[in-house]
Amino acid sequence: MAVDKKKVVIAGGGITGLTAAYYLQKYAREHQLPLEVKLVEASSRVGGKMQTVTKDGFTIERGPDSFLERKQSAARLAREVGLGDKLVNNSAGKSYVLVREQLHPMPGGSVMGIPTEIGPFVTTGLFSWPGKVRAAADFFLPPSEAQADQPLGTFFRRRLGDEVVENLVEPLLSGIYAGDIDQMSLMATFPQFYQVEQKYGSLVRGMRKTAPKAKKPSEPVSAKKKGIFLTVSTGLESFADAIEAQLEPGSVLKSTRVDKVMKEGGSYSLRLSNGEQWNADCVLVTAPHEAALHMFSEYESLFDGFKNMPSTSVATVSLAFPAEAIKQDIDGTGFVVSRNSDHRITACTWTHKKWPHSTPEGKVLLRCYVGRPGDEGIVEQTDADLVKIVLEDLNKTMNIMAEPEFSVISRWKEAMPQYLVGHKQRVEELNSGLRTQLPGVYVAGSSYEGLGIPDCIDQGENAVQQVLDFLKR
Ligand code: FAD
């Protein structure tokens, strides 16, 4: 007798959807579960924001360039799909913050801008003396009153003062989230800092107790030292491709959107952009929240909390040069830019130094970011204008005597979801609404519980567990 197969449809083939498809199919295979898993992807390729250009011996990332090694799910998945020997760490060199047109080395022992060593903070030129004295008030200020959430900016300004926030904490945090720290949620991004404050009173004292010990200042920072990030030497797009290659033949449908999801009795009916209508027992939406809102327009109130969730537009501008074009080089792997600077770039990576495998011998690869809240319009500039803006900015600290041999410009419009104050609660409300009104529907990915690649992979793995639990009921 034929066994009734359960069907799971995953909408969105970025890293979250790929992870879920891979682990679900693997589980079904290993446990001989009668399960059909289909992945529907709107674009003509999988990988979402993981996109790589290979050209003239360069490996250039359009979106993410790496992931944190400490969060182990990404390396584990890369090994699963046969890329273990392609995992490489970054070279850990000096990094800088640019404030008022001057590059300042990142003070040793700072964790997301919070000092865990006093010496480097006392001697750094990043802050004025009054700024340093204000930061020291962290030792005496009581913890904030317990609260559900607050803006990251409010939390850090209260503990460390405006100057440390503007010249160090903000450039680092907004480098990750492309967000406005005065609106971003502390609890959805760095809840550990709140917990440290509540436990130890002082953030600095708490971080000194809990953060992994930093290198001794006497230890030379060698450009060859292993860094804390990993990437795939053939590019992150090849990571997505390797996962796709492991999926069952015929289980990925590309160039097709999921347009609508409707509950029909105990299962779901999905309308696809190719005109097909599918049924599914479970639906996992890993497309960004804007797309999810559209899919569930019949159940609008469920997604109420996400209607006004913004996503920032950014662009990456990668410039390739012959090494001799750089007349004044800098000993380091990159810098982030404080808003107290007359720059439109928000960060720059000396990619040839951070990721030597990415650049052929005798060449230089610089990758800059533009776009942040308040300056998102820059993403609309022409390629030529973006290159001009970036070169002008770079020449304020470097001496680049040539036009780039070529550039790779990647615009990411409304691509960085912003976790504003109250985000965690909105995610909980959405999940609980789905559980009661649309059981068997799940959401995961960068709009919800972390936008780093490992966070997305963790969410994909969690979703697999939820789907399996649901199907076993
Ligand atoms: P996505 O990658 O956005 O995938 C979602 C997919 O859903 C897309 O392929 C889309 O086409 C598809 N889709 C949309 N609508 C539909 C629909 N209706 N039906 C079907 N499919 C649909 N993270 C790091 O860890 N390290 C970094 O260095 C880093 N740098 C970054 C740099 C940039 C410029 C950007 C933009 C992001 C960066 N990130 C980084 C964040 C990280 O890349 C993303 O958060 C992560 O890749 C998002 O994965 P995802 O699966 O949630 O979504």
Side-chain angles (χ1 to χ4, degrees), residues 331-343:
D331 169 25
T333 55
F335 61 88
V336 290
V337 179
S338 152
R339 283 178 184 260
N340 291 330
S341 302
D342 183 22
H343 277 59

Side-chain angles (χ1 to χ4, degrees), residues 11-17 40-43 47-50 62-67 256-258 286-288 291 295 314 316 367 369 412 415-416 445-446 451-454 456:
I15 187 62
T16 314
V40 183
E41 164 54 43
S43 72
K49 297 187 176 92
M50 302 198 322
R62 285 187 177 280
D65 72 354
S66 57
F67 47 83
T256 308
R257 280 187 324 270
V258 174
T286 68
M295 284 176 218
V314 297
T316 54
R367 187 170 101 133
Y369 274 83
W412 294 102
M416 302 293 277
S446 50
L451 44 80
I453 290 171
C456 290

Side-chain angles (χ1 to χ4, degrees), residues 115 118 121-122 127-142 156-164 201-205:
I118 305 305
F121 265 72
V122 172
F127 323 116
S128 64
W129 276 107
K132 291 174 188 176
V133 171
R134 170 61 187 85
D138 170 72
F139 284 112
F140 314 106
L141 283 168
F156 281 113
R157 285 181 203 285
R158 177 171 179 277
R159 299 258 33 122
L160 302 170
D162 287 344
E163 198 178 341
V164 169
S202 150
L203 196 54
V204 176
R205 203 179 307 123

Side-chain angles (χ1 to χ4, degrees), residues 55-70:
K55 184 177 159 69
D56 301 347
F58 288 88
T59 304
I60 300 175
E61 298 291 0
R62 285 187 177 280
D65 72 354
S66 57
F67 47 83
L68 270 174
E69 182 171 24
R70 166 173 66 76

Side-chain angles (χ1 to χ4, degrees), residues 94-318:
K94 278 188 200 155
S95 52
Y96 298 81
V97 192
L98 192 126
V99 182
R100 294 192 184 83
E101 322 316 312
Q102 218 192 320
L103 288 173
H104 297 270
M106 201 71 75
S110 65
V111 178
M112 278 295 154
I114 304 162
T116 62
E117 288 172 27
I118 305 305
F121 265 72
V122 172
T123 53
T124 181
L126 258 178
F127 323 116
S128 64
W129 276 107
K132 291 174 188 176
V133 171
R134 170 61 187 85
D138 170 72
F139 284 112
F140 314 106
L141 283 168
S144 51
E145 275 177 30
Q147 48 192 307
D149 200 1
Q150 57 185 303
L152 267 174
T154 307
F155 175 79
F156 281 113
R157 285 181 203 285
R158 177 171 179 277
R159 299 258 33 122
L160 302 170
D162 287 344
E163 198 178 341
V164 169
V165 169
E166 280 159 26
N167 290 357
L168 187 56
V169 177
E170 197 272 347
L172 287 170
L173 297 187
S174 57
I176 301 172
Y177 290 96
D180 173 352
I181 62 163
D182 291 312
Q183 292 198 39
M184 282 163 60
S185 153
L186 174 66
M187 297 314 270
T189 53
F190 295 102
Q192 65 273 33
F193 293 148
Y194 175 73
Q195 280 137 19
V196 161
E197 187 217 29
Q198 293 293 307
K199 179 160 179 201
Y200 295 96
S202 150
L203 196 54
V204 176
R205 203 179 307 123
M207 290 305 289
R208 280 162 68 84
K209 290 228 162 77
T210 55
K213 287 282 157 279
K215 294 182 294 303
K216 296 248 160 34
S218 55
E219 265 183 63
V221 185
S222 136
K224 298 231 160 48
K225 199 160 272 165
K226 219 172 101 172
I228 59 171
F229 297 102
L230 277 175
T231 197
V232 175
S233 60
T234 41
L236 286 176
E237 185 166 321
S238 70
F239 187 9
D241 293 342
I243 305 171
E244 184 187 14
Q246 301 286 322
L247 299 182
E248 276 153 28
S251 62
V252 180
L253 177 62
K254 293 182 212 169
S255 304
T256 308
R257 280 187 324 270
V258 174
D259 276 340
K260 203 159 270 306
V261 182
M262 303 279 290
K263 192 168 187 309
E264 272 187 11
S267 62
Y268 293 92
S269 159
L270 287 84
R271 200 175 75 211
L272 308 188
S273 58
N274 63 3
E276 288 179 25
Q277 194 98 15
W278 284 7
N279 282 324
D281 298 283
C282 258
V283 182
L284 169 60
V285 181
T286 68
H289 65 282
E290 293 92 346
L293 270 164
H294 186 69
M295 284 176 218
F296 292 92
S297 53
E298 305 287 325
Y299 309 92
E300 218 183 353
S301 62
L302 268 179
F303 284 84
D304 265 353
F306 289 81
K307 270 190 204 144
N308 298 319
M309 178 176 172
S311 298
T312 309
S313 298
V314 297
T316 54
V317 179
S318 293

